[in-house]
């Protein structure tokens, strides 16, 4: 597998003076940027009959990086960024100004579950909806930081995003999730809302500050997939500072109305789409059992059913450090 560092060129515009919000995870953001780029390209077919002036909405937008990245690649696109953190909104606006993108972007403080968020999206009518949310499963009675905890199964923000997508019906989605939090259910929920997974980006990484803090709770979850084998940890955390490895996912989904002639309509059977959820589950099960070796041959490789394109990466501790130095600048 390649290193996720091979995709770091996507973040080159976001070095200082670009600013980050209180919580920033470079690997999550980079993987989501990959999926967002793929989703944007799904809306711009070679025949030129795309959506025209692309309207993008980014939920849990943080510093605004993923949405602003899309604006850098499309000189006509516009962006609406929503985040519950007022400081994140201020940082996003400063970043848009520094990148000379203020005229095509706006940011607002809005709770994902509020009626205001739905109203803003209904007014914006985005073609592309992006969400790179918190994803750490939150033990009952434990109040994690707002940027980390995502409900008992770690999927609360994603399921709300998909509920909004069902109501607003953007043409495409770019979503991030992980193997800590019932990964197949995210794909299945997207399918039930009428979206097909077209391209999947997967990175194997070591546990972090928040995921490691709930290690014992993760072991008790039925749909959580981690690998604690020494061989896996030795690759992902050669410094020895890890308890387990897990998988990050980011996917480009396309709605029923944007599918090509080979795809079915929303009211037709979704056997092909359910296969996508099943092979995501199988990939996670194999990884939990066999570690990185399981990713050498993805479970869909021998399938006769058309399935999403998949890109596999690793990101070890040293590569993660290189990514942070690139983005934040070397210490002086």
């Amino acid at each position: 597998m390649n290193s996720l560092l091979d995709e770091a060129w996507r973040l080159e515009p976001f070095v200082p003076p670009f600013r980050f919000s209180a919580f920033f995870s470079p690997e999550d953001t980079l993987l989501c940027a990959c999926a967002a780029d793929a989703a944007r390209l799904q809306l711009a077919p070679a025949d030129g009959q795309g959506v025209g002036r692309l309207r993008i909405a980014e939920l849990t937008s943080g510093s605004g990086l993923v949405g602003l990245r899309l604006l850098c690649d499309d000189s006509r696109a516009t962006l609406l960024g929503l985040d519950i953190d007022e400081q994140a909104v201020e940082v996003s606006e400063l970043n848009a100004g520094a990148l000379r993108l203020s005229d095509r972007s706006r940011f607002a403080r809005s709770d994902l579950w509020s009626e205001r968020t739905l109203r803003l999206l209904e007014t914006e009518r985005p073609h592309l909806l992006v969400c790179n949310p918190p994803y750490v499963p939150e033990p009952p009675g434990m109040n994690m930081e707002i940027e980390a905890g995502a409900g008992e199964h770690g999927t609360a923000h994603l399921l709300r995003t998909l509920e909004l997508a069902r109501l607003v019906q953007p043409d495409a989605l770019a979503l991030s999730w992980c193997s800590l939090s019932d990964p197949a259910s995210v794909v299945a929920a997207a399918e039930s809302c009428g979206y097909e997974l077209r391209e999947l980006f997967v990175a194997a990484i070591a546990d972090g500050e928040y995921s490691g803090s709930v290690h014992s709770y993760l072991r008790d979850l039925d749909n959580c997939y981690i690998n604690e084998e020494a061989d896996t940890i030795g690759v992902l955390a050669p410094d020895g500072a890890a308890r387990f490895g897990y998988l990050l996912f980011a996917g480009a989904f396309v709605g029923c109305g944007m599918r090509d002639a080979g795809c079915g309509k929303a009211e037709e059977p979704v056997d092909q789409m359910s296969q996508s959820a099943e092979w995501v589950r199988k990939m996670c099960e194999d990884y939990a059992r066999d570690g990185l070796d399981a990713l050498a041959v993805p479970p869909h490789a021998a399938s006769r059913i058309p399935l999403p394109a998949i890109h596999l990466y690793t990101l070890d501790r040293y590569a993660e450090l290189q990514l942070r130095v690139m983005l934040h600048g070397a210490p002086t």
Side-chain angles (χ1 to χ4, degrees):
M1 291 182 292
N2 296 326
S3 170
L4 188 57
L5 273 181
D6 293 344
E7 302 290 345
W9 58 269
R10 299 175 189 270
L11 303 186
E12 287 176 356
F14 308 107
V15 298
F18 190 89
R19 296 175 57 183
F20 297 95
S21 52
F23 177 76
F24 171 68
S25 175
E27 59 274 12
D28 302 355
T29 304
L30 177 53
L31 209 64
C32 188
C34 292
D37 281 345
R40 180 182 64 84
L41 292 175
Q42 291 284 344
L43 301 181
D47 61 9
Q49 301 301 309
V51 297
R53 189 179 179 90
L54 181 66
R55 296 188 299 275
I56 303 160
E58 183 179 4
L59 305 180
T60 64
S61 54
S63 65
L65 189 153
V66 177
L68 293 172
R69 159 79 194 171
L70 292 169
L71 296 193
C72 289
D73 284 344
D74 187 333
S75 61
R76 299 180 62 209
T78 60
L79 170 66
L80 169 66
L82 302 177
D83 199 290
I84 194 173
D85 182 5
E86 185 65 45
Q87 183 184 31
V89 173
E90 294 173 3
V91 167
S92 307
E93 291 172 340
L94 290 171
N95 287 334
L99 293 166
R100 299 182 180 180
L101 295 172
S102 295
D103 60 332
R104 293 192 286 125
S105 61
R106 60 190 178 100
F107 299 89
R109 182 182 183 276
S110 190
D111 188 322
L112 193 61
W113 281 267
S114 71
E115 283 297 317
R116 180 169 187 258
T117 292
L118 177 57
R119 289 198 303 271
L120 286 167
L121 292 175
E122 287 176 334
T123 300
E124 188 71 12
R125 305 300 298 178
H127 300 107
L128 172 58
L129 184 64
V130 179
C131 187
N132 175 28
Y135 58 71
V136 177
E138 198 168 25
M142 179 178 180
N143 293 319
M144 299 186 73
E145 297 290 340
I146 191 171
E147 63 267 15
E152 185 177 355
H153 296 287
T155 54
H157 297 75
L158 283 166
L159 295 181
R160 172 57 177 168
T161 296
L162 287 167
E163 180 183 352
L164 292 169
R166 180 179 57 81
L167 295 171
V168 180
Q169 287 295 299
D171 296 315
L173 310 172
L175 306 177
S176 296
W177 68 104
C178 74
S179 67
L180 304 180
S181 48
D182 200 1
S185 74
V186 174
V187 179
E191 293 168 352
S192 71
C193 293
Y195 290 90
E196 175 187 359
L197 179 60
R198 283 285 185 87
E199 203 158 349
L200 184 66
F201 299 82
V202 186
I205 67 168
D207 69 86
E209 175 184 359
Y210 292 111
S211 56
S213 70
V214 293
H215 185 195
S216 59
Y217 175 65
L218 297 177
R219 283 177 157 180
D220 295 332
L221 294 178
D222 292 337
N223 295 304
C224 173
Y225 304 93
I226 61 177
N227 188 281
E228 301 171 280
E229 298 299 320
D231 288 348
T232 298
I233 295 172
V235 172
L236 299 179
D239 59 352
R243 287 142 289 194
F244 60 88
Y246 66 103
L247 303 177
L248 286 178
F249 294 98
F253 297 81
V254 174
C256 303
M258 293 298 296
R259 295 180 191 163
D260 56 31
C263 298
K265 297 180 181 178
E267 63 269 17
E268 292 178 349
V270 294
D271 293 342
Q272 177 179 330
M273 290 192 288
S274 64
Q275 286 287 334
S276 296
E278 286 303 315
W279 68 253
V280 167
R281 187 188 309 279
K282 180 67 164 55
M283 180 192 305
C284 292
E285 290 173 347
D286 291 351
Y287 171 76
R289 184 186 64 246
D290 300 326
L292 296 175
D293 288 345
L295 302 181
V297 181
H300 73 302
S303 175
R304 296 181 181 179
I305 299 174
L307 288 169
I310 183 169
H311 311 269
L312 297 168
Y313 308 95
T314 60
L315 187 73
D316 65 36
R317 293 285 201 217
Y318 296 120
E320 181 182 344
L321 180 59
Q322 286 179 265
L323 188 57
R324 288 182 180 272
V325 169
M326 184 195 91
L327 290 169
H328 298 298
T332 58

